[in-house]
Amino acid sequence: MDKKPKIIVTRRLPNAVHTRLVDLFDATLNPEDIPMSQTDLKAAAQEADVLVPTVTDKIDADIINAAGPRLKLIANFGAGTDHIDVGAAHAKNIIVTNTPGVLTEDTADFAMAMILAVPRRLVAADRLTRAGGFKGWTPTGILGHRVRGKKLGIVGMGRIGQAIARRASAFGLKVHYHNKSPVSPPIEKSLQAKYWPDLDALLANMDIISINCPSTPQTRHLISAQRLALMPSHGVIINTSRGEIIDEAALADALASGGIAGAGLDVYENEPDIHPGLLNLPNVILAPHIASATHESRLEMGEKIMINIRAMYDGHRCPDRVLPPKH
Ligand code: 8YV
């Protein structure tokens, strides 16, 4: 690299990543811990050689088409790229990369924590205890449901889905899954997972559902009111993927009316807003999009960003290139 490329990072990042980025490149990071406005994003795309956005930035065709001739790479700090118009970037020869792999295990841990915490009512128990409701042990206090032996249906058997399947087997859950196509026979065998080509049938037959597919126009409201109605009344749904995949208003209704028993949500349709119907329900755990939030994953996500930038400037293929969807 003759001249250091100009990198604009839309959010504040952990100090170790910040220091390294500033050391290696002509990097500017958002000093505020808040998302940039669309106007500021547009200005950033006009000035930068590399833009580093996160899930809170909408990098749409408007921003990409207004980008300056210098912009060569959008290196997303995160795995999901549904907030970036990858097709528009591709049409302008702007490379898009992401940070897969380094957040798989942490996200799977968090989903597994929800799979245990919702049936065992962990958060309700904490609330009761803090409110002075623990008056001594009783045989009937805060009864939950046993996890071992239950059927877990994973919707989307990619890296994270598979990492959840490995954990779930260790907890004695029977693993089932729906995916566009089955995973390879050796993987299916090692996960002891049963493939269901029909999502409706999977939903009707599982005790716990975990959503792990990407957000695309095809998966928007994949879990609709009609599909929620297929689930048994003792059913639980966990979402650590993207909020848009579940019809959130329909989910709030299903939880309030006893259509399903519980939910564990880390993501929402209109973040940071949450459907008001969910906020006072005792049978849902609400987390603020933190499934991958570990110190370790954030550092490794930062490393991936730097590797992709270096690869491009050294004339190599970016290892984490994201291609536009095939139509
Ligand atoms: C990240 C995520 O924290 O990687 C993803 O797709 O949803 C999160 O785990 C976020 O995307 C950072 O931009």
Side-chain angles (χ1 to χ4, degrees), residues 53-56 76-80 99 103 107 241-242 289 291-292 298 301:
T54 74
V55 69
T56 52
N76 184 52
F77 187 83
T99 62
L103 36 72
T107 305
S241 176
R242 283 291 180 270
H289 200 147
S292 73
R298 294 294 183 253
M301 287 160 77

Side-chain angles (χ1 to χ4, degrees), residues 185-207:
I187 294 180
E188 200 169 75
K189 192 164 171 235
S190 77
L191 297 174
Q192 298 172 10
K194 178 176 177 309
Y195 179 58
W196 293 65
D198 181 11
L199 175 60
D200 290 359
L202 179 92
L203 292 170
N205 284 285
M206 296 295 122
D207 303 300

Side-chain angles (χ1 to χ4, degrees), residues 35-285:
M36 281 183 172
S37 66
Q38 289 305 107
T39 311
D40 288 349
L41 281 178
K42 203 178 258 187
Q46 277 161 358
E47 285 174 43
D49 296 306
V50 178
L51 186 66
V52 179
T54 74
V55 69
T56 52
D57 304 308
K58 195 168 164 45
I59 310 296
D60 55 15
D62 186 37
I63 294 210
I64 289 168
N65 292 334
R70 292 175 65 165
L71 189 68
K72 296 282 176 301
L73 172 64
I74 299 173
N76 184 52
F77 187 83
T81 50
D82 46 295
H83 55 292
I84 301 174
D85 191 331
V86 180
H90 194 73
K92 277 196 77 170
N93 283 327
I94 298 168
I95 297 170
V96 177
T97 60
N98 65 347
T99 62
V102 293
L103 36 72
T104 302
E105 301 300 326
D106 297 325
T107 305
D109 282 345
F110 196 84
M112 194 64 223
M114 290 275 206
I115 290 168
L116 298 171
V118 175
R120 294 304 307 273
R121 304 177 62 196
L122 185 60
V123 173
D126 175 88
R127 272 196 297 260
L128 175 119
T129 309
R130 286 172 200 275
F134 180 46
K135 308 285 185 208
W137 183 84
T138 92
T140 53
I142 300 269
L143 295 183
H145 284 281
R146 179 179 295 159
V147 170
R148 188 165 200 86
K150 296 283 160 41
K151 285 179 282 185
L152 170 69
I154 298 176
V155 178
M157 199 57 134
R159 282 191 175 94
I160 295 173
Q162 292 179 27
I164 295 170
R166 288 195 296 275
R167 285 159 176 76
S169 297
F171 279 91
L173 283 148
K174 310 256 185 305
V175 178
H176 300 252
Y177 72 102
H178 170 77
N179 202 41
K180 272 198 278 192
S181 49
V183 295
S184 72
I187 294 180
E188 200 169 75
K189 192 164 171 235
S190 77
L191 297 174
Q192 298 172 10
K194 178 176 177 309
Y195 179 58
W196 293 65
D198 181 11
L199 175 60
D200 290 359
L202 179 92
L203 292 170
N205 284 285
M206 296 295 122
D207 303 300
I208 304 171
I209 291 289
S210 176
I211 303 297
N212 300 102
C213 56
S215 170
T216 64
Q218 293 74 36
T219 61
R220 184 172 184 278
H221 285 191
L222 182 72
I223 307 298
S224 58
Q226 290 78 3
R227 289 213 163 108
L228 285 166
L230 297 171
M231 290 178 64
S233 57
H234 69 270
V236 160
I237 191 160
I238 308 298
N239 190 4
T240 51
S241 176
R242 283 291 180 270
E244 292 87 340
I245 297 165
I246 304 183
D247 179 337
E248 203 168 293
L251 176 63
D253 285 349
L255 287 162
S257 66
I260 65 170
L265 306 177
D266 185 47
V267 287
Y268 307 90
E269 246 190 282
N270 300 300
E271 292 182 14
D273 296 339
I274 299 181
H275 190 282
L278 291 170
L279 293 173
N280 292 320
L281 289 176
N283 50 348
V284 53
I285 297 180

